[in-house]
Structures are given as structure tokens and as C-alpha cells.
Amino acid sequence: MEPWLLWLIAAAALAVAEVFSLTAALGLLAAAAAVTGGAAALGLPVPWQFLLFTAVAALSLLFVRPTVLRRLQPAQEARFGVDALIGRVAYVVSEVSGQGGRVRIGGEEWTARAYDETLVIPPGAAVDVIEISGSTALVYPRE
């Protein structure tokens, strides 16, 4: 069997495998095999075919795959309003317990309650904003 045909069969098999894996790696290897198959059809000697396949595969995996993966990942949704405060660090202004207290979140003072109602968080402590309920931040001490 001619080497160019073997390269095209390998390219087709890798392309089919890419459809099932969706990793972008097998598709790039399929493209490298197709390029090598074309070069083999033009008469490139077999040792040079392997060198060409290795070079095209390595370059595409190093430079093309990261770009493809960035395009495939969904963009993170921007959070606005009080949703943007969840997960931020706040600093306790006046003692926070399950009954109430005050924290400073990015320059603004908020009423706060401890997320775990049994906790009492002293002033000056750093806390994470777990949830916003109305105008009250539910916070938990940072470790």
C-alpha cells in the first residue's frame, strides 16, 4: 500500500476519534497526518515523512491548540450589583454574630450576620461574603 494512502487513513481515523473526544489534540494530529499524506503523494521519502509529521504535529499542538481551547471554553458571565459582592473579602467594622453587625466591603459599609449563627466575629477580622440577603451580607471568617 502506498505511504500517502496510509497517512490519509490515519488522518481519517484521528478525525473520527476527535469527534468523540473533543480535545482538539486528535484533530490537530489528523491535520498533521493529512499534510504528511499530501507530501508523501508528492514523493517525499518515508524518513522525511515522519519528520514532517512530527514537526507539524508539535507546532500545531504548541501554538494552535491553546487558541482552540480558549475559543471552546464558555466566557465567564459578568456579575453585577449585589451578585458581584459574593465571594469578596470584607472586614468586620463592629462585632458580627448571628444577630447582626457591620462589615466594610470594598469601601461600603453593610449590615452583616454570621453565616454560622453560633459564631461571633470580632472587629478587624477578615471575612468572606457568602450570600447577600436583602441589604444584609452573610459572612464567614477567613482561615
Side-chain angles (χ1 to χ4, degrees), residues 2-79:
E2 295 292 323
W4 64 269
L5 187 56
L6 292 174
W7 284 110
L8 292 182
I9 291 170
L14 287 166
V16 169
E18 173 62 33
V19 170
F20 292 107
S21 71
L22 297 176
T23 61
L26 295 175
L28 293 172
L29 291 177
V35 167
T36 306
L42 294 174
L44 189 68
V46 173
W48 286 100
Q49 292 174 21
F50 286 108
L51 186 62
L52 177 65
F53 175 76
T54 303
V56 171
L59 290 174
S60 64
L61 288 174
L62 286 173
F63 296 110
V64 177
R65 186 170 187 258
T67 304
V68 170
L69 289 179
R70 273 194 301 271
R71 296 235 176 210
L72 290 177
Q73 292 176 349
Q76 291 185 356
E77 293 182 25
R79 296 186 303 171

Side-chain angles (χ1 to χ4, degrees), residues 66-119:
T67 304
V68 170
L69 289 179
R70 273 194 301 271
R71 296 235 176 210
L72 290 177
Q73 292 176 349
Q76 291 185 356
E77 293 182 25
R79 296 186 303 171
F80 299 100
V82 294
D83 289 336
L85 299 176
I86 296 172
R88 291 195 50 192
V89 177
Y91 297 96
V92 177
V93 174
S94 65
E95 183 178 89
V96 174
S97 66
Q99 303 303 314
R102 300 207 44 93
V103 295
R104 181 172 301 280
I105 307 171
E108 295 181 339
E109 272 197 34
W110 283 71
T111 57
R113 284 194 329 254
Y115 189 74
D116 179 357
E117 293 181 4
T118 62
L119 292 177

